[in-house]
Amino acid sequence: MKIHIDIDCFFVSAARILEPSLEHKPVAIGGRSDTKIFTKDAKNQRVNFENSGSFVPTFYKAYENGDDLKSFQDEDGRIRGILTTSSYEARAYGIKTAMSIRQALQLCPHLIIKAPNMSLYQELSHRLHDFLARKIPLVEQASIDEFYGDVSGWIDDEDIPQFIDSLRHKIKKELQLPVSIGAASTRYIAKLATGYAKPFGCKTITKYEFDGFVNPIKVEDFAGIGKSMKNKLHSAQIKTLGELRKRRGTLESWGPYAKELYKRVNGESDAQIKTTHQRKSIGISRTFDPLYDRAELLRRVHILARHLSFAIIKLQVIPTVFHLGIAYEMHQKSHKNISQAEIFTEKKFDALCISLFHAADIHKRLCVVRLSINCSSFTRDSKKELSLLGFEEERKMYTLTCKTQKLREKYGMDALRFASEL
């Protein structure tokens, strides 16, 4: 059987370890796009490569102790930002993830807002992974707060309920983290079971319980069914997983993805537990107040490019596909991609990002509210060969980039900047 372990309200649970007084109180963790990287006050910038997940940024600001609610106030005293997670006590007031902090405080005026602590989350996630690795033969870390395990042939199926119940209590005792655990014949159904085990519960789905458990569940509650697929299923009068399982022909006619989706829901398809993952892409983005000034937007592209270049060099990869996206006011969007296989240097990457911005900026009369840059298809994963044109010159620039990298690693990402940023 496969098991799925999910930390309950992870960020809140982590805060409660540091402050036990938060137990049984409505607590939420705030989040805000860190636009300070565009100012002279940029500091305490950290970079994270290890874990992913909802609201787990690659670049983040390290908050000082005691920041909390004031961290989400702007110069005018307005409260900005959204909630990355909330406790079950807070959810009882109708508070939800991604809700604005301002709206959440209206629903629950005594809601306790805490600033994020990414370093603590990473540490606890590592500790849980190490703990699980000692208890389960194969462990896969799917995100910062989510794990899969394969206990097939190691724990008898009839002993699974007792095993996962004991496991969650051991985790709570040793790491002070409440987790919920689901178990089933496939990882997809195990994840589904976890959702119905929360909070701090466990649920095992045997082959005899499969139909009774799966069939009544709404299609949108199954991992992999997003808004687009949900609407498509609803338009075909398919609203529950039981109805989906009766329409095999319909789903197979929609193409390979829908065909695979049917097999996952039906328990016919599974994926192996992968103990290691290789990063396939990396990006950076920032949302800010509407901004029209193109010169200032170009300056911000320079800054985002510098931060992303730092991460790419640190990862020791060479990306070959580059993407720049722009979000405007009035819900307009634009983007540009380019593919090229050359030695990566900061100077060339900066120029490339500026070029992509000019090409993507098609709504020049509108203000911009978000910029994003993403790099993917690393040479270790793709079949592309590096161009040899100007190889010697590129190698010199790469050497300079590496020397710049060492200075930034020692003195911080803002130690050296492009003149165009100032």
Side-chain angles (χ1 to χ4, degrees), residues 94-131:
I95 292 170
K96 300 178 181 178
T97 297
M99 176 180 286
S100 72
I101 296 175
R102 190 185 310 168
Q103 183 182 357
L105 288 171
Q106 290 174 346
L107 292 173
C108 180
H110 59 288
L111 178 67
I112 301 171
I113 305 292
K114 304 297 291 183
N117 188 338
M118 292 307 305
S119 297
L120 174 63
Y121 307 152
Q122 296 291 351
E123 178 190 347
L124 291 172
S125 182
H126 278 300
R127 288 174 59 192
L128 179 54
H129 180 271
D130 292 344
F131 178 86

Side-chain angles (χ1 to χ4, degrees), residues 146-304:
E146 191 177 16
F147 303 81
Y148 289 96
D150 190 343
V151 295
S152 304
W154 188 65
I155 302 291
D156 292 334
D157 287 358
E158 59 267 26
D159 296 330
I160 292 292
Q162 181 181 352
F163 172 75
I164 61 176
D165 184 58
S166 174
L167 182 62
R168 72 185 172 103
H169 282 99
K170 288 178 181 177
I171 293 170
K172 186 70 168 69
K173 181 179 180 180
E174 185 160 328
L175 302 179
Q176 298 177 268
L177 288 172
V179 303
S180 295
I181 307 176
S185 57
T186 71
R187 60 189 290 154
Y188 307 112
I189 304 302
K191 180 178 175 68
L192 197 61
T194 305
Y196 286 81
K198 285 180 172 290
F200 192 53
C202 52
K203 189 172 185 65
T204 302
I205 308 301
T206 66
K207 61 181 179 180
Y208 306 107
E209 300 167 314
F210 188 91
D211 293 347
F213 171 70
V214 171
N215 288 352
I217 295 174
K218 296 178 181 179
V219 291
E220 57 265 33
D221 291 340
F222 191 84
I225 297 182
K227 186 176 180 179
S228 177
M229 178 57 74
K230 169 197 164 185
N231 292 337
K232 191 170 185 178
L233 289 167
H234 281 194
S235 67
Q237 301 303 309
I238 300 173
K239 296 184 178 180
T240 67
L241 296 181
E243 292 170 344
L244 185 152
R245 295 176 68 201
K246 294 178 182 178
R247 302 280 294 275
R248 182 169 199 153
T250 301
L251 267 78
E252 290 184 346
S253 70
W254 289 351
Y257 178 78
K259 184 177 180 179
E260 172 63 18
L261 178 63
Y262 175 86
K263 290 181 179 179
R264 292 181 182 184
V265 171
N266 215 36
E268 299 173 8
S269 177
D270 199 12
Q272 290 184 339
I273 300 298
K274 296 180 181 179
T275 56
T276 58
H277 284 278
Q278 279 192 328
R279 180 181 281 272
K280 295 183 178 180
S281 66
I282 187 168
I284 184 171
S285 64
R286 287 294 183 271
T287 301
F288 38 81
D289 289 334
L291 179 62
Y292 179 79
D293 186 345
R294 263 43 187 180
E296 171 60 18
L297 288 170
L298 286 171
R299 190 185 74 87
R300 296 189 178 195
V301 171
H302 283 300
I303 294 171
L304 295 177

Side-chain angles (χ1 to χ4, degrees), residues 341-345 348 386-399:
E342 299 176 3
I343 292 177
F344 183 89
T345 68
K348 184 166 57 178
L386 295 180
S387 170
L388 295 179
L389 294 176
F391 183 80
E392 284 301 321
E393 185 64 27
E394 295 294 343
R395 191 168 63 175
K396 292 178 183 178
M397 289 304 302
Y398 179 75
T399 301

Side-chain angles (χ1 to χ4, degrees), residues 19 149 351:
E19 297 182 56

